[in-house]
Amino acid sequence: MQVVVFKVNEEQFAVETAKVQSINDMMEITKVPKSPDYIKGLINLRGNIISLLDINLLLDIEKGEGSQENIIILNLGDESVGVTVDQVDEVLEIDEKQIEKIETDRNKTYIKGVINFNDRIITLIDISKLIER
């Protein structure tokens, strides 16, 4: 299984590459009045209008000092959404056995487990469950 590893406020997370459509640099965001807080706005990616979500709010993580430089475009069924992240680190090939299931509270069902990889802990998230909440 391949995963894309990204950083949000010094924490490392991963999503399966099968869900990732593309990784882009930050671009102009059009704000949407009266939208929920977790929607940062809309972006125009090669003629496609895509909702941009604030992953800090979705994951309940404080914003870091630096600016978010990357947008990960994700495929969720027949829809694409973008999430802003501090930085995209790498693509890793992991074995399913490296994913440790963890007990989480009911509000964190989007956490598939943690990957203990070369002295780092990376949280593997199920992006579709994260957005469904």
Side-chain angles (χ1 to χ4, degrees), residues 7 11 20 25 29 45 86 101 116 118 121 125-126 129:
K7 200 175 277 182
E11 285 189 57
V20 176
D25 291 333
I29 302 170
L45 183 66
D86 295 351
K101 302 287 184 228
N116 201 338
N118 294 347
I121 300 290
I125 58 176
D126 183 336
K129 283 188 179 166

Side-chain angles (χ1 to χ4, degrees), residues 13-54:
F13 294 92
V15 293
E16 293 174 44
T17 53
K19 301 263 192 227
V20 176
Q21 181 179 320
S22 65
I23 297 167
N24 302 283
D25 291 333
M26 188 52 77
M27 58 186 74
E28 186 179 335
I29 302 170
T30 304
K31 298 278 184 219
V32 180
K34 298 183 180 157
S35 62
D37 287 345
Y38 65 87
I39 295 182
K40 279 191 155 182
L42 301 173
I43 56 172
N44 183 338
L45 183 66
R46 295 183 286 281
N48 294 320
I49 304 302
I50 296 173
S51 298
L52 192 60
L53 308 180
D54 187 335

